[in-house]
């Protein structure tokens, strides 16, 4: 049974840092397309950052230079999103995702399995910046 579990969300003052962690159970991130999505109330689901199976990273324009995605190289069961210089516009529920749909399927209508069942999603973690 595969499960992705996010942690590290919370409330932070604007300008501060926060690091999200996604722990994988029954799955390793090595060799898979993985990433972080986010969705704020009334907004579209957007892909914040992605690591391709080949190791290439991409970022949403609005977070470039402030966020860093990485995965642990040893066990490949942890995915991180280091966020700095956080802004109120970064407030959203952040989702970890793994599968070929990451970065290749338009999930703007909503994060989660309603976007794509061709992979795995975490349950989401709230990040609030004020």
């Amino acid at each position: 049974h595969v499960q992705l579990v996010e942690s590290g969300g919370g409330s932070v003052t604007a300008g501060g840092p926060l690091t999200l962690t996604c722990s994988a159970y029954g799955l390793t991130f090595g060799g898979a397309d993985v990433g972080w999505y986010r969705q704020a109330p009334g907004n579209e689901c957007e892909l914040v950052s992605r690591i391709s199976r080949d190791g290439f990273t991409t970022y949403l324009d609005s977070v470039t230079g402030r966020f860093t995605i990485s995965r642990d190289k040893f066990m490949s069961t942890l995915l991180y999103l280091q966020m700095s210089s956080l802004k109120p516009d970064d407030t959203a529920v952040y989702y970890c995702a793994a599968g070929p749909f990451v970065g290749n399927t338009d999930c703007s209508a909503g994060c989660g399995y309603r976007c794509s069942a061709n992979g795995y999603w975490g349950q989401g973690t709230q990040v609030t910046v004020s």
Side-chain angles (χ1 to χ4, degrees):
H1 177 64
V2 175
Q3 193 175 11
L4 302 181
V5 180
E6 302 96 337
S7 59
S11 297
V12 63
T13 302
L18 203 62
T19 296
L20 305 182
T21 300
C22 176
S23 301
Y25 300 92
L27 172 77
T28 58
F29 291 136
D33 297 321
V34 296
W36 291 92
Y37 289 81
R38 70 183 181 187
Q39 187 165 22
N43 287 9
E44 295 181 342
C45 174
E46 51 188 5
L47 177 61
V48 176
S49 184
R50 168 183 181 258
I51 300 179
S52 74
R53 60 184 60 202
D54 297 326
F56 293 103
T57 58
T58 58
Y59 295 91
L60 188 66
D61 285 347
S62 63
V63 307
T64 298
R66 300 189 297 121
F67 290 12
T68 302
I69 191 171
S70 64
R71 58 188 175 198
D72 77 287
K73 295 178 173 60
F74 180 58
M75 295 297 292
S76 294
T77 57
L78 296 173
L79 182 69
Y80 305 102
L81 186 66
Q82 295 174 277
M83 305 183 291
S84 62
S85 302
L86 281 161
K87 305 174 182 179
D89 284 349
D90 295 318
T91 295
V93 177
Y94 284 71
Y95 298 88
C96 171
F101 70 90
V102 177
N104 296 303
T105 298
D106 181 4
C107 291
S108 58
C111 295
Y113 287 103
R114 57 186 159 177
C115 168
S116 176
N118 187 23
Y120 305 96
W121 291 83
Q123 81 288 352
T125 186
Q126 176 71 47
V127 172
T128 302
V129 185
S130 60

